[in-house]
Amino acid sequence: MDLQLPLWFEIGSLIVLTLILVGDLLLILKRPHIPSTRESTLWVVFYVTLALLFAGLMWVFSTPEYAGQFIAGWLTEYSLSIDNLFVFVLIMSQFAVPRRYQQEVLMVGIIIALILRGAFILVGAAVIENFSPIFYLFGAFLVWTAWRQAFPGGDHDDDVKRENFIVRMLRRTIDISDHYDGAKLRTVVEGKKMWTPMIIVFAAIGVTDLLFAIDSIPAIFGITTSPFIVFTANIFALMGLRQLYFLLGDLLDRLRYLHYGIAFILAFIGLKLIFHAMHVNELPFINNGEHIEWAPEISTWMSLAVIVLSMVVATVASLVASARDKRSGTVASAEAVAEEKGTPSTVDDTSSTVDDTSSTPPAAH
């Protein structure tokens, strides 16, 4: 079913969202700084309110069904984006990015993510339009991703190895200095123009965004097949990510059960996709190519309820467990939690003490 929204609403929405992103980027470039908790909170509240207002406009100009699809898709992408923060923390620490310039790095990462996800959305929409059995593949992929999310093993260690490989490849092809020069990509060392380690950071962020796009796009297509809803849900989920990074800070390490909540969401959506594929089945070797009528169709509102409940339970359980550990005096060290998640103990890592103009990233040697 195609989205029944006025064309002017779709075009106008994309223009306004683009202007907001550009304005946000210009603000960062003009005044790089470490945002306070109050500033980060206000920005996060602003973007969440904006997303809910957008859903309300969809309700008015379209139907409650499409508004529900947007909210469910946005919450799914938002929860997955929070998981992205763990890896972003790892990258920032690994390359000792000066904390005052981390906003710029995150913003560039968000822009890269939007470009990559936009491409994936176009491809995914075209495939779904012409090959409905793709829902079987999407569903199986999400169930496998859910298992990997719940039992991560060495996934984040693999991310580190992949990023170190990027460093080696870049150093073989271009000249990279050993020191940062503010937030610049290019610098001059002894009269020779060279790239700064910031190019390595951007490359690592880009690869990470690509991997997360591969996971997240099938998930949201399990909620809606409207490219407009998929893309706008991704925009709203990513817009507040930069501020959320600074707002959560070391709270990330206390969300020890977050990955279980995300895993449950992915598994649920994966099963929903498989049921949908069965319901519209056209494969000749399954039920003789006939639709499987007993396969349930899970509604948008049920999906929304499962997504919200999963994140609430995971967050509350994490905070309760953390508070109980503190009261009993047996709370695990930040290093132990970080080792479990594969991230440094806090956002405020070595990068906060590195000089803005003469930082040597440990992974760059």
Side-chain angles (χ1 to χ4, degrees):
M1 188 185 305
D2 295 328
L3 180 64
Q4 299 172 351
L5 274 171
L7 182 60
W8 65 264
F9 180 83
E10 295 187 12
I11 295 176
S13 299
L14 294 177
I15 291 175
V16 171
L17 292 177
T18 300
L19 291 176
I20 292 175
L21 285 172
V22 171
D24 203 3
L25 177 60
L26 292 176
L27 184 63
I28 296 171
L29 295 176
K30 184 178 180 180
R31 193 172 66 92
H33 65 290
I34 302 173
S36 65
T37 300
R38 181 176 182 276
E39 178 184 347
S40 298
T41 301
L42 290 175
W43 275 109
V44 170
V45 170
F46 168 73
Y47 282 127
V48 169
T49 302
L50 196 63
L52 295 176
L53 178 62
F54 184 76
L57 292 175
M58 290 190 67
W59 186 303
V60 173
F61 292 109
S62 181
T63 65
E65 172 67 18
Y66 293 127
Q69 288 181 10
F70 169 78
I71 294 177
W74 167 60
L75 288 177
T76 298
E77 294 299 322
Y78 207 62
S79 61
L80 290 171
S81 295
I82 294 175
D83 192 52
N84 293 17
L85 293 180
F86 287 106
V87 180
F88 287 160
V89 168
L90 176 64
I91 292 173
M92 296 293 187
S93 176
Q94 181 187 0
F95 298 113
V97 179
R99 187 165 170 79
R100 66 177 302 207
Y101 297 115
Q102 289 181 10
Q103 284 205 86
E104 296 181 38
V105 174
L106 288 170
M107 198 64 193
V108 170
I110 289 171
I111 293 173
I112 294 174
L114 285 174
I115 294 173
L116 291 173
R117 294 187 187 195
F120 272 90
I121 290 167
L122 292 176
V123 173
V127 172
I128 289 172
E129 183 71 23
N130 298 284
F131 186 63
S132 61
I134 192 66
F135 286 114
Y136 283 115
L137 297 179
F138 278 178
F141 175 74
L142 288 179
V143 171
W144 173 75
T145 303
W147 175 269
R148 188 183 63 180
Q149 179 76 28
F151 307 101
D155 278 357
H156 290 314
D157 292 334
D158 292 339
D159 290 335
V160 174
K161 293 177 182 177
R162 187 179 299 109
E163 285 147 15
N164 286 336
F165 172 75
I166 294 171
V167 172
R168 292 194 299 270
M169 290 299 295
L170 284 174
R171 284 200 170 276
R172 289 173 186 170
T173 55
I174 61 177
D175 293 324
I176 303 177
S177 69
D178 291 330
H179 304 282
Y180 287 103
D181 185 4
K184 297 178 181 178
L185 287 177
R186 298 281 280 175
T187 188
V188 177
V189 179
E190 297 180 353
K192 181 181 179 181
K193 284 190 174 182
M194 301 180 70
W195 295 94
T196 71
M198 196 66 78
I199 190 67
I200 300 175
V201 178
F202 287 156
I205 290 284
V207 172
T208 300
D209 284 334
L210 176 62
L211 297 176
F212 279 118
I214 294 174
D215 286 347
S216 67
I217 296 306
I220 193 170
F221 269 120
I223 296 171
T224 178
T225 56
S226 165
F228 177 76
I229 294 179
V230 173
F231 189 61
T232 52
N234 271 276
I235 291 178
F236 277 104
L238 291 171
M239 280 200 308
L241 190 61
R242 175 175 60 85
Q243 292 84 3
L244 195 63
Y245 173 88
F246 290 96
L247 177 62
L248 292 182
D250 58 2
L251 179 62
L252 284 173
D253 294 325
R254 296 170 59 193
L255 300 179
R256 64 182 71 175
Y257 301 132
L258 178 66
H259 61 293
Y260 290 120
I262 295 174
F264 187 82
I265 293 172
L266 292 175
F268 171 80
I269 297 176
L271 292 175
K272 178 183 177 180
L273 280 172
I274 293 174
F275 286 144
H276 177 73
M278 294 168 64
H279 192 74
V280 299
N281 177 63
E282 296 177 348
L283 295 177
F285 52 85
I286 298 179
N287 198 37
N288 297 319
E290 300 294 330
H291 301 336
I292 303 176
E293 299 299 334
W294 60 262
E297 283 282 3
I298 301 175
S299 70
T300 298
W301 298 105
M302 180 178 291
S303 300
L304 181 58
V306 169
I307 293 167
V308 172
L309 186 61
S310 298
M311 295 310 299
V312 169
V313 170
T315 301
V316 171
S318 297
L319 298 179
V320 168
S322 179
R324 184 178 63 245
D325 287 344
K326 287 183 178 180
R327 285 196 301 269
S328 63
T330 60
V331 62
S333 67
E335 288 76 16
V337 178
E339 182 179 353
E340 178 185 351
K341 292 297 298 180
T343 64
S345 58
T346 65
V347 172
D348 215 340
D349 206 86
T350 56
S351 57
S352 62
T353 60
V354 177
D355 183 73
D356 291 346
T357 59
S358 59
S359 308
T360 304
H365 296 290

